[in-house]
Amino acid sequence: MDKKLLFVDTETTGLSKLTNGIIAISLLVDINGALVDQLTLEINPLSYKRPIAISPKALEINGYKEEQFAGFLPAREALTSITALMGKYVNKYDAKDKFIFNAYNSEFDAGFLQELFIDCGSTAYANYLDYRHLDVYALVKYLVHTGAIGTGYRQTLEAACKATGITLSDAHNSLSDVLATRELHHYLVNTYLGGVKCV
């Protein structure tokens, strides 16, 4: 069976999936190690059904301004585009045909994506994605602690890319981050895990 990875990066209004929302999301469809499709969306977090808290610090980091939000996609439309992308590559009725979610600190991004489904009244997350996910950050932490790679004190995506010679052109831009995350994943798997076929 094909190995289907969905690399995801989100830019959000803060750190809590319960009180904050997604501003931008980028998704890369990776099948058997090949990049076959991608999608980047900017979402109006104020279009969520629930109130969304906006952290000035988060906006300072990701470079978005609240006055931009009105021009972004409503949450429900964004989710429709996301599920349309995933539906091209997995059979939502086949329990064995799902994407493996992959991100840098995947619990963060997966949590925000799951909450987008919930806010839109959808229970279809598991139709497309396995709840087990891969985390490039966890692999980086392991390799740092075993001395295989050095990132200094910081173990951010930016630090990990610098330590491995991977280009991260625009940190905290969802597309730039997810492209670097995918490249970092494959580099680490091929270099330190012998190119294991399970991922």
Side-chain angles (χ1 to χ4, degrees), residues 9-81:
D9 186 82
T10 59
E11 297 302 325
T12 66
T13 68
L15 298 177
S16 171
K17 66 181 183 180
L18 298 177
T19 59
N20 301 117
I22 298 172
I23 304 171
I25 185 167
S26 290
L27 308 97
L28 304 180
V29 175
D30 181 307
I31 300 179
N32 298 326
L35 177 59
V36 300
D37 211 341
Q38 66 185 61
L39 176 69
T40 296
L41 301 170
E42 290 176 314
I43 302 172
N44 181 354
L46 302 179
S47 69
Y48 279 54
K49 291 179 183 174
R50 59 180 166 85
I52 294 295
I54 299 172
S55 161
K57 180 66 174 176
L59 298 189
E60 179 184 335
I61 290 170
N62 59 43
Y64 282 102
K65 299 184 184 305
E66 193 170 342
E67 51 266 31
Q68 295 176 280
F69 295 166
F72 296 166
L73 279 178
R76 187 175 292 276
E77 286 184 30
L79 184 61
T80 297
S81 295

Side-chain angles (χ1 to χ4, degrees), residues 119-163:
D119 191 79
C120 291
S122 173
T123 59
Y125 182 93
N127 290 351
Y128 303 98
L129 291 149
D130 193 312
Y131 275 105
R132 296 168 297 178
H133 41 84
L134 298 174
D135 189 349
V136 180
Y137 175 50
L139 182 53
V140 167
K141 285 196 295 183
Y142 173 78
L143 292 171
V144 168
H145 289 300
T146 59
I149 63 174
T151 62
Y153 174 74
R154 295 170 59 79
Q155 293 171 17
T156 61
L157 175 60
E158 195 169 5
C161 287
K162 184 175 180 181

